[in-house]
Amino acid sequence: MTSSKTSLNKQQREAVDNINGPLLVLAGAGTGKTHTVTMRIARLLDKGYAPEEILAVTFTNKAAGEMKERIKRLVGRKHNIATMIVSTFHSLCVRILRRDAAALGYGSDFSICDQGEQLGLVHKAAKFVRGDVGLKPEEILYEIGKLKNQGMGHAEFSRRAVDEWERVLASVYRRYQDSLKSIQAFDFDDLLLKTVELLEKDSGARDYWQGRFRQIVVDEFQDTNGVQYRLVKILAERHKNLCVVGDDDQSIYGWRGAVPGNILDFHKNFPGAKVVRLEENYRSVESILNAANALIANNEKRCEKKLWSRLGQGGKIRVLEAEEQQDEAELVIGEIERRLREENLKPADFAIIMRTNGQNRPFEEELRTARIPYAIIGGSSFFDQKEVRDMLSYLSAVSNPRADTALLRIVNTPPRGIGDKTMERVSAFASANSLSLSQALKRVDEIPELAEKGKACCRAFSQLLGGWRQLAKSGKFDKLVEKIVRESGYEQEIQSLYDDPLEQASRINTAYEVGDSLKKYVEREPEGGLSGFLQEALLVSKDDDKSREKEKAALKLITIHSAKGLEFPLVYLVGMEEGLLPHKNSVETGDVEEERRLCYVAITRARRELIITYCKTRISRGKGIERLPSRFIAELPPELLERKARNVSAEEFGDTIAQIRAMLAGN
């Protein structure tokens, strides 16, 4: 073989050597999956398969590029792998369609629409269809995308439509697809669906691609949706040499169409399939793996596997209780700051992992205060979120009557009848009279070009600004943002723009959290006031986050979804509360098993040490909401936990866990 197999354990060698027929490799977290896959492909080359006969598929361009590079390093000059396809599903589909799209009535020079073009076509399609689908173009496009990811074209959806709403949506879907074809274009979701349609209908294309790919390897198979599964099944139909690699316990993308059943039922759908379990973990100490094993065992729908390690037992998992989220951040960052001083540790040794990006704010503030370099992975800084920028613009306009740029951003956000033409006339009047825009709004009655309706809207907004300025002068900063969000109509606008209740709540809470941040700043810097807060926020927002993300020396702030595939020596898993992890929406919809998989992924990111934190209370809009520790803490073996939280005895902590267990038993 090109590379010695001594670097493989027994199970990995089994996965590498079994090259005939269907094979499912259940690769637990940290078990050397990528190494096994690349060694398997090297084995295929040594067995005489030509590079162009091997197909390797994964989910991101980055993963595909890294896999091909590793294969290249492994085989050296012995094999030229330039003709081997190692790609994402979508890139593979583009390649297939470029060759054979004529069978669908498309030329090989078809284009791929971006979202802006898609929204334009959907908008036109909806206007031509009689009936009201009750959705904005973005929402219609989302619904069509969901149908495509389920493998459902417009004709099938039309046949299955059960009510007027679905019939109207089916008509919009059909007209949208007709528009795409008329301009010889596919959208992103079409690439998969149309490729499957092509291969199912056209025997010439099917024969070519089935004949070409004598060996197929699919990575992260637990993340495949219905259409991706159909594509893989068609391509592997002739030779049946299909190796799928994945971990059902890390299937955490149900919200974007992933079907865990694809990996759970593989042995049923591919009779005679061999199953190899990779269970030796090269990442974490035993205590962390035992906790993860115990947790995930509570899921009923899973393939049995148990991670183990030769890296030693490791210490217990500490569970820390905080009064509320600011206290939680102070507790975590204070401990990290102390450990950086007293132990031989670097910021890059630490990761703070959370369920939602909305939990970032207090940790960012404490990290900046402590001057610990940090990078946000897979999300945006609190101060870069749209809702935060909008609120900062409102506050700038309140703080400084001459802040014209800020006022222009928010004068019609949300829409309040002050359009571009109105503001052009107000701006011209302000310029002619050496006024700020804020001052000009107060004198709109002097602008003859303005219609009465426009004047009324301007007066109403100017009055709002005046009220907020009086509140700011009184020093009641804790109420200022709350009044702006409510009185400006911003909260209602979010509710109308976003259909998903979870997204609505997250965005509204983000806007309100600017008030929490302002309140905390004033408590810390009483002389700074509103203008000092805005100055600090401006400096933070001008940080080059992209360069910080590339900074390997930084502590990582990261959501669980973004942490998948990564590992860190010391992990703080924060916000382990009922309502956050598991998230209340998932509990209400019965998706607790996916939430448990999320928790499993978070736990298995830790190499040496895991610390779990939760809050007794979460402050939202100035009010405290009592929280219970997550049920997932109660599912961890007591002997693995250091049952001692801040200001809480082991007995009291034990009583809290007992309370959670009793609550769940009652359900």
Side-chain angles (χ1 to χ4, degrees), residues 223-452:
D223 294 335
T224 53
N225 60 30
V227 185
Q228 289 161 338
Y229 173 79
R230 281 168 63 189
L231 175 62
V232 169
K233 198 169 188 299
I234 293 168
L235 291 175
E237 202 170 87
R238 180 182 300 180
H239 297 293
K240 295 184 171 52
N241 294 326
L242 171 64
C243 170
V244 301
V245 185
D247 182 7
D248 55 300
D249 291 335
Q250 296 186 76
S251 181
I252 59 173
Y253 296 111
W255 51 275
R256 70 181 188 196
V259 182
N262 289 348
I263 195 167
L264 293 171
D265 298 331
F266 184 81
H267 63 289
K268 298 177 186 175
N269 297 326
F270 291 86
K274 184 170 181 60
V275 179
V276 175
R277 290 173 171 80
L278 305 186
E279 296 173 306
E280 182 176 357
N281 178 283
Y282 296 94
R283 174 188 299 159
S284 307
V285 293
E286 282 281 337
S287 57
I288 291 170
L289 298 180
N290 290 340
N293 288 332
L295 173 77
I296 204 64
N298 289 281
N299 272 7
E300 293 180 7
K301 299 173 183 176
R302 63 183 294 263
C303 298
E304 184 61 37
K305 74 185 79 65
K306 188 174 181 180
L307 299 179
W308 62 278
S309 170
R310 304 176 195 266
L311 299 177
Q313 176 60 28
K316 289 188 175 184
I317 295 166
R318 288 190 296 131
V319 183
L320 308 178
E321 180 182 89
E323 291 297 323
E324 40 76 32
Q325 60 261 47
Q326 197 63 52
D327 181 47
E328 179 183 41
E330 290 173 7
L331 173 64
V332 170
I333 305 308
E335 182 173 289
I336 291 173
E337 188 178 20
R338 176 186 59 78
R339 297 186 70 176
L340 288 172
R341 280 196 320 266
E342 298 176 1
E343 304 175 33
N344 188 26
L345 296 171
K346 304 180 294 295
D349 292 327
F350 295 91
I352 299 173
I353 300 181
M354 56 199 72
R355 173 65 175 84
T356 69
N357 193 49
Q359 295 167 250
N360 266 356
R361 180 191 59 81
F363 294 98
E364 284 196 72
E365 290 176 345
E366 293 300 321
L367 284 163
R368 289 199 308 274
T369 300
R371 298 185 181 279
I372 297 173
Y374 68 93
I376 297 171
I377 308 298
S380 59
S381 168
F382 174 74
F383 290 96
D384 279 341
Q385 296 177 70
K386 179 186 182 300
E387 292 73 24
V388 175
R389 289 187 180 276
D390 286 343
M391 287 303 109
L392 291 176
S393 292
Y394 268 102
L395 291 173
S396 293
V398 168
S399 174
N400 178 8
R402 302 200 69 85
D404 287 357
T405 304
L407 191 139
L408 281 171
R409 180 183 176 108
I410 52 93
V411 69
N412 209 39
T413 303
R416 51 175 62 88
I418 308 175
D420 291 342
K421 287 185 178 178
T422 298
M423 284 311 296
E424 282 175 14
R425 287 165 182 161
V426 172
S427 297
F429 178 78
S431 179
N433 293 277
S434 300
L435 301 172
S436 70
L437 290 178
S438 182
Q439 291 169 324
L441 286 173
K442 290 181 180 180
R443 294 169 55 177
V444 288
D445 289 329
E446 301 175 35
I447 308 175
E449 299 89 351
L450 276 185
E452 280 304 314

Side-chain angles (χ1 to χ4, degrees), residues 283-285 288 568-569 571 602-610:
R283 174 188 299 159
S284 307
V285 293
I288 291 170
F568 310 94
V571 166
I603 289 173
T604 53
R605 299 311 94 196
R607 286 161 49 191
R608 297 203 314 264
E609 193 174 332
L610 174 66

Side-chain angles (χ1 to χ4, degrees), residues 154-203:
H154 63 80
E156 183 182 355
F157 180 59
S158 183
R159 288 194 299 272
R160 294 190 182 190
V162 296
D163 56 28
E164 184 61 21
W165 184 88
E166 289 192 350
R167 283 189 283 274
V168 173
L169 180 61
S171 296
V172 176
Y173 185 1
R174 177 184 59 78
R175 185 169 284 275
Y176 169 63
Q177 289 303 122
D178 289 345
S179 297
L180 282 170
K181 190 165 186 180
S182 70
I183 61 172
Q184 289 286 289
F186 296 113
D187 68 19
F188 199 62
D189 295 315
D190 272 334
L191 296 175
L192 289 163
L193 187 59
K194 291 297 184 181
T195 300
V196 168
E197 181 184 326
L198 167 72
L199 295 175
E200 286 179 342
K201 290 183 177 179
D202 188 77
S203 59

Side-chain angles (χ1 to χ4, degrees), residues 650-663:
E651 290 74 19
E652 288 174 309
F653 182 78
D655 290 343
T656 302
I657 296 300
Q659 181 186 357
I660 306 170
R661 290 191 173 121
M663 175 193 73

